[in-house]
Amino acid sequence: MNAPVSAPLAGELARKDVANHFHPYTNLRAIEKDAPLIIVEGDGIEVIDDTGKRYIEGMAGLWCASLGFSEKRLAEAAKRQMDKLPYYHSFSGKAHNVVAEVSEKLISLAPTQALREGRMIFANSGSEANDTAFKLVHYYHNSIGKPQKKKIISRVKGYHGVTVATASLSGIPAMHQHFDLPIDGVLRTGCPHLYQFANEGESSEEFATRLADELEALIQKEGADTIGGFIAEPVQGAGGVIIPPPTYFAKIQAILKKHEILFIADEVITGFGRTGNLFGTQTYKLEPDMLTTAKMITSAYVPFSALYVSGKIYQACADASASVGVFGHGYTYSGHPLGCAVALETLKIYEERNLVNHVRAVSPAFQKGLQQFASHPIVGEVRSVGLIGAVELAENPKSRKPFDAQRGVGAYLVRRAQEHGLILRAMGGDIIAFSPPLIITEAEIAEMLTRFALALADTQAWLRR
């Protein structure tokens, strides 16, 4: 293992970072005063800072480093590809062998027959994949002679990316303020967050029915002939690890089919094993027309994303492109050889190590371990599926009363966790998210939760003071 960066250099790095880096999703004034945590090395599920301190990465970075932070096979695959063909494109009738290989592999893994009959579109991030899906809703309906059918419905607390279109689809207010978003053509429907939004005494079944009824009412109000798409994450990640009630998606999908509204499954977080199946689409029995993936497709070692497009949509787009003369979409780095090669090696590792079965094997320890906090005096709810979960803090758990957001309770807990060698994230409503690397062991899960328990105790003591 490499020696840690010396302390003087660490301070120098931090100061330089503050001076030159425009930090995403950060209070920019606060980071000017408080130097960021500088990570210089990875080792399994841990990362190491510039003083040599180790941290369990309880979020796998940004939900993404499925194979941890030191998988040498991915580095070797990247080097082999860089040595052989560092770049080529797929524009104007060109292609390269690795984009063909990864397309074939991903289609073979598609979770539904409709997607297995379709094609793949590659980009560099989940944002770009969802942005492309947004555009295809328009392209498809123009192609089939329904030019009014363009509006897209997304959900409160959904997260779909940060482009103009995908930030508009995202249902998180901080992503809209000062950006003049959302743009026209985006509609919003309810979030299946039972703990926060269910009425007093409302069962999960009744809650799911009410949300479906609200979606139907929205469609009737706007006119089904004006609505082209609906986008949803199987589990809403950045919104707070929101796990839908059991019958929610069945009810929603019936409405979408009735009104011929395309369903986009955003699997940027859930794709490739997170929920205990290769896709969240399998976990929740979804039948999407398009499915977006990124993050764990390369264990985040290389920026890469893939959009599954059903055969129905592809055929309409192909006909339209023939009439125009070209399909006018693509990125310089679409299907970049490096991303393709690392994705292929990542998928090979998943299969060789049977990683989905590993997730299923250790998930009970993760879920049971989280549940031990359900009765804690400042915990309102604990929820999890596969290896993704959340602990939602509350001032009064019985009445589901949250803490005043200005108190920053979740942020305080995350800082204490970091002091105890655990990196987590706090989300809206003081929700503490967990999404560890998929390679985590039961012993490492136990250690992660021990450190969380210390941070939770620190937070409770702080609140008493």
Side-chain angles (χ1 to χ4, degrees):
M1 188 171 294
N2 297 331
V5 178
S6 64
L9 180 55
E12 182 181 320
L13 279 172
R15 285 191 298 274
K16 182 178 181 183
D17 187 84
V18 171
N20 298 322
H21 188 192
F22 203 131
H23 288 261
Y25 283 98
T26 300
N27 182 319
L28 298 176
R29 290 301 181 205
I31 202 69
E32 290 173 355
K33 300 174 184 177
D34 301 319
L37 178 67
I38 302 293
I39 299 299
V40 298
E41 191 175 350
D43 183 16
I45 69 162
E46 294 183 323
V47 292
I48 306 166
D49 73 13
D50 49 8
T51 70
K53 182 176 178 178
R54 288 174 169 264
Y55 306 82
I56 292 175
E57 233 303 353
M59 285 297 299
L62 292 173
W63 324 86
C64 51
S66 49
L67 297 176
F69 298 88
S70 57
E71 179 51 66
K72 295 189 182 304
R73 280 180 57 178
L74 298 187
E76 291 162 359
K79 184 180 186 305
R80 285 195 302 271
Q81 188 59 49
M82 292 290 279
D83 287 341
K84 187 172 184 180
L85 181 68
Y87 171 73
Y88 208 67
H89 60 86
S90 303
F91 282 41
S92 306
K94 310 294 191 303
H96 53 83
N97 62 311
V98 276
V99 78
E101 289 176 37
V102 78
S103 297
E104 182 180 12
K105 182 62 180 177
L106 287 168
I107 287 293
S108 75
L109 297 174
T112 68
Q113 183 60 33
L115 297 178
R116 284 192 290 275
E117 294 171 355
R119 301 291 177 100
M120 307 300 307
I121 298 180
F122 298 108
N124 313 291
S125 67
S127 293
E128 289 173 325
N130 283 326
D131 193 274
T132 300
F134 183 103
K135 290 178 70 176
L136 286 183
V137 170
H138 290 237
Y139 199 93
Y140 170 77
H141 285 108
N142 285 332
S143 302
I144 64 172
K146 295 184 178 181
Q148 302 304 313
K149 203 169 174 66
K150 300 288 178 57
K151 298 171 187 173
I152 300 179
I153 300 172
S154 63
R155 303 182 296 176
V156 171
K157 290 197 171 189
Y159 182 90
H160 303 293
V162 295
T163 67
V164 169
T166 59
S168 295
L169 291 174
S170 299
I172 298 174
M175 300 179 66
H176 302 156
Q177 294 162 4
H178 302 304
F179 290 111
D180 295 332
L181 298 176
I183 58 174
D184 292 340
V186 173
L187 305 175
R188 200 81 62 203
T189 194
C191 167
H193 190 172
L194 185 71
Y195 177 76
Q196 282 196 2
F197 298 130
N199 295 328
E200 188 68 31
E202 191 173 38
S203 69
S204 63
E205 175 70 15
E206 292 167 338
F207 178 55
T209 298
R210 176 162 63 84
L211 291 180
D213 289 345
E214 290 174 3
L215 176 62
E216 178 70 48
L218 175 64
I219 293 169
Q220 295 294 341
K221 176 186 175 185
E222 296 289 332
D225 60 338
T226 72
I227 300 174
F230 173 88
I231 187 168
E233 305 153 89
V235 175
Q236 288 180 260
V241 188
I242 298 163
I243 297 170
T247 60
Y248 168 79
F249 273 118
K251 296 175 188 292
I252 295 299
Q253 288 185 107
I255 294 168
L256 300 179
K257 287 181 180 179
K258 172 184 172 184
H259 296 293
E260 298 182 329
I261 295 170
L262 298 177
F263 180 19
I264 306 162
D266 180 345
E267 293 236 35
V268 171
I269 286 176
T270 54
F272 304 104
R274 180 60 65 187
T275 64
N277 287 297
L278 194 62
F279 293 96
T281 287
Q282 296 160 313
T283 302
Y284 294 103
K285 298 180 173 58
L286 308 184
E287 297 180 16
D289 298 283
M290 289 182 274
L291 185 154
T292 58
T293 68
K295 295 188 185 292
M296 295 195 298
I297 195 171
T298 62
S299 188
Y301 282 38
V302 173
F304 194 70
S305 65
L307 165 64
Y308 283 90
V309 178
S310 71
K312 175 181 74 174
I313 295 175
Y314 170 74
Q315 293 301 334
C317 292
D319 288 342
S321 75
S323 68
V324 174
V326 67
F327 177 62
H329 176 81
Y331 304 96
T332 300
Y333 304 111
S334 294
H336 193 288
L338 181 61
C340 293
V342 174
L344 282 167
E345 190 68 15
T346 302
L347 295 174
K348 187 182 296 183
I349 291 171
Y350 289 165
E351 290 182 348
E352 289 178 3
R353 299 179 187 172
N354 212 340
L355 202 63
V356 171
N357 275 358
H358 172 76
V359 171
R360 293 173 182 170
V362 301
S363 289
F366 172 69
Q367 294 167 15
K368 183 179 179 181
L370 279 182
Q371 280 298 324
Q372 70 180 295
F373 303 109
S375 59
H376 193 279
I378 63 167
V379 171
E381 186 186 47
V382 173
R383 50 187 177 269
S384 60
V385 59
L387 279 179
I388 185 171
V391 174
E392 184 159 352
L393 307 178
E395 184 173 2
N396 188 327
K398 288 185 179 180
S399 65
R400 295 186 289 176
K401 178 185 176 183
F403 287 103
D404 184 336
Q406 298 301 315
R407 298 179 73 178
V409 177
Y412 179 86
L413 189 151
V414 166
R415 290 195 299 273
R416 293 308 306 157
Q418 187 169 302
E419 287 298 314
H420 292 295
L422 171 62
I423 293 175
L424 297 171
R425 282 183 70 191
M427 298 176 179
D430 293 323
I431 298 168
I432 311 302
F434 293 78
S435 178
L438 300 187
I439 61 170
I440 195 168
T441 65
E442 288 192 15
E444 290 168 334
I445 288 169
E447 179 60 26
M448 176 177 71
L449 296 178
T450 294
R451 297 182 191 188
F452 174 73
L454 294 173
L456 187 61
D458 291 347
T459 304
Q460 184 182 17
W462 171 71
L463 287 167
R464 286 173 177 163
R465 291 196 298 268

